[in-house]
Amino acid sequence: MRYSLIIAGGLSLLSSFTHAYSISNLYDASTNGTGWADETASSHIIATPGATPGTNEWFSRYTLGNGDDAFNINADILGQFKNAPLQNTTGASLAAVSDSVRVTFLGTGAARNSVLFLAQQGNELLDTTAFWNPVYASGGTNNLASYNPVNDSSRLFETRGGCEYAQAKAGNSCVPDNLGQSRVISGLAAGDSLVFGLQALVLHYNSDNIHYPNTNYFFSGDAANNRDSRGWNDGQVHTKVLNLGSNRYLVGFEDIWGGGDRDFNDNIFLFEGVITDIPIPPLVPVSEPSSLPLLGMLLAGLLWHRRRHQQ
């Protein structure tokens, strides 16, 4: 026990500093490295469970020739994700297991275009004052020409680039540009908490009476990450996670202010090389090196202790 506390204390000391991180260029679905070994890997596009022709929902599926039997996004996994309980009422936070984390854009069930970005590294709870004050000063969330909190150093994916809702409604005739692509975040330290943001952009589509007049920002993890002093955020949990084993998690965002329909499938991403601060049993047993479960337990304990202290 004392040995574990010493290790946890060392991780806490390392994690108290903010490390400089970098985000790689986009990796294509067929050549994006670990877990996707075959350069000629095929990818499918499958509809979400219950989707009908002419809807706007796609999810990447990698099963043909990629040599990764442990990872197969299919209707069954999406169904289990849909039915999985929300992690407590505060949301599950993510932390790096090592010096790098891989994020892959798996699919969208949303009408509006969004951008996933790394909002903060090093602490579990978002510094909401630091994030929102420049937005306030610029005059509002829609004044992106004056100030945009998302830039090349933090941007991961655009979820509807090249495939807007109107075109998608015309018989699923397009596929989002970044679907199935991934990026690697490097320069991290084990135990670094990662807060990811979804910048949900303005959309008006009169035919379906869809009106999202504001650019909204929703963050992973604790509901406290989605509160701000002026009420421009809603104080709700906006992510849900599903444990795939081997430090891999599906993370789904709800992109509507106030919680929307709470299906959390508006945008779904695969995170590799992370642990959550709330113990979540894996979807299926997956063999992994014996050192990883111990490290994961230590990191989970550290994150739980940090959350208790912050709250």
Side-chain angles (χ1 to χ4, degrees):
M1 176 67 70
R2 179 177 298 177
Y3 182 67
S4 298
L5 290 175
I6 290 173
I7 294 176
L11 289 172
S12 180
L13 180 61
L14 288 172
S15 301
S16 64
F17 298 96
T18 298
H19 304 268
Y21 67 85
S22 62
I23 297 177
S24 74
N25 293 328
L26 285 165
Y27 289 88
D28 186 72
S30 62
T31 59
N32 60 5
T34 303
W36 319 88
D38 191 339
E39 291 188 359
T40 60
S42 299
S43 62
H44 298 302
I45 306 300
I46 61 173
T48 52
T52 56
T55 62
N56 62 307
E57 303 180 355
W58 303 267
F59 285 86
S60 303
R61 180 184 181 186
Y62 303 93
T63 55
L64 301 180
N66 64 4
D68 187 5
D69 294 334
F71 177 58
N72 174 15
I73 294 301
N74 55 27
D76 177 66
I77 288 180
L78 290 174
Q80 292 189 53
F81 177 84
K82 179 180 179 180
N83 295 322
L86 189 64
Q87 286 73 40
N88 288 353
T89 57
T90 56
S93 298
L94 301 174
V97 171
S98 64
D99 62 352
S100 65
V101 168
R102 181 181 295 273
V103 189
T104 304
F105 175 38
L106 295 182
T108 178
R112 69 201 301 192
N113 191 20
S114 298
V115 178
L116 182 75
F117 65 102
L118 179 55
Q120 182 174 283
Q121 169 236 357
N123 293 307
E124 181 182 351
L125 291 182
L126 179 71
D127 186 343
T128 54
T129 298
F131 178 83
W132 283 105
N133 275 354
V135 178
Y136 300 150
S138 72
T141 62
N142 295 335
N143 296 334
L144 300 182
S146 300
Y147 174 76
N148 190 344
V150 181
N151 53 54
D152 289 341
S153 67
S154 63
R155 182 185 296 105
L156 290 161
F157 309 107
E158 184 179 6
T159 63
R160 275 205 169 278
C163 188
E164 295 300 322
Y165 180 73
Q167 184 180 357
K169 283 283 290 184
N172 282 350
S173 57
C174 61
V175 175
D177 293 338
N178 290 162
L179 190 62
Q181 295 186 318
S182 67
R183 292 186 190 268
V184 173
I185 305 168
S186 56
L188 305 172
D192 273 353
S193 290
L194 303 171
V195 179
F196 292 89
L198 190 75
Q199 181 188 56
L201 302 174
V202 173
L203 172 65
H204 294 283
Y205 189 74
N206 294 331
S207 297
D208 287 350
N209 197 29
I210 293 175
H211 298 285
Y212 304 125
N214 296 310
T215 297
N216 297 123
Y217 296 89
F218 305 116
F219 298 95
S220 62
D222 200 296
N225 290 338
N226 292 299
R227 299 189 188 112
D228 72 288
S229 61
R230 298 195 182 185
W232 287 7
N233 219 330
D234 59 9
Q236 304 290 316
V237 173
H238 275 270
T239 55
K240 182 167 71 172
V241 306
L242 183 69
N243 188 353
L244 297 178
S246 296
N247 301 115
R248 301 192 296 182
Y249 292 81
L250 292 189
V251 177
F253 275 81
E254 179 59 56
D255 75 341
I256 304 300
W257 199 97
D261 56 10
R262 300 183 67 80
D263 59 10
F264 296 92
N265 79 344
D266 294 322
N267 292 286
I268 293 185
F269 307 90
L270 171 68
F271 287 78
E272 299 177 89
V274 297
I275 191 69
T276 61
D277 64 336
I278 299 172
I280 303 171
L283 179 65
V284 292
V286 177
S287 61
E288 53 190 23
S290 59
S291 60
L292 285 180
L294 175 59
L295 178 59
M297 291 173 62
L298 291 174
L299 290 176
L302 168 63
L303 293 172
W304 178 83
H305 176 75
R306 180 188 294 169
R307 169 174 284 193
R308 289 289 299 272
H309 177 73
Q310 289 175 328
Q311 291 179 340

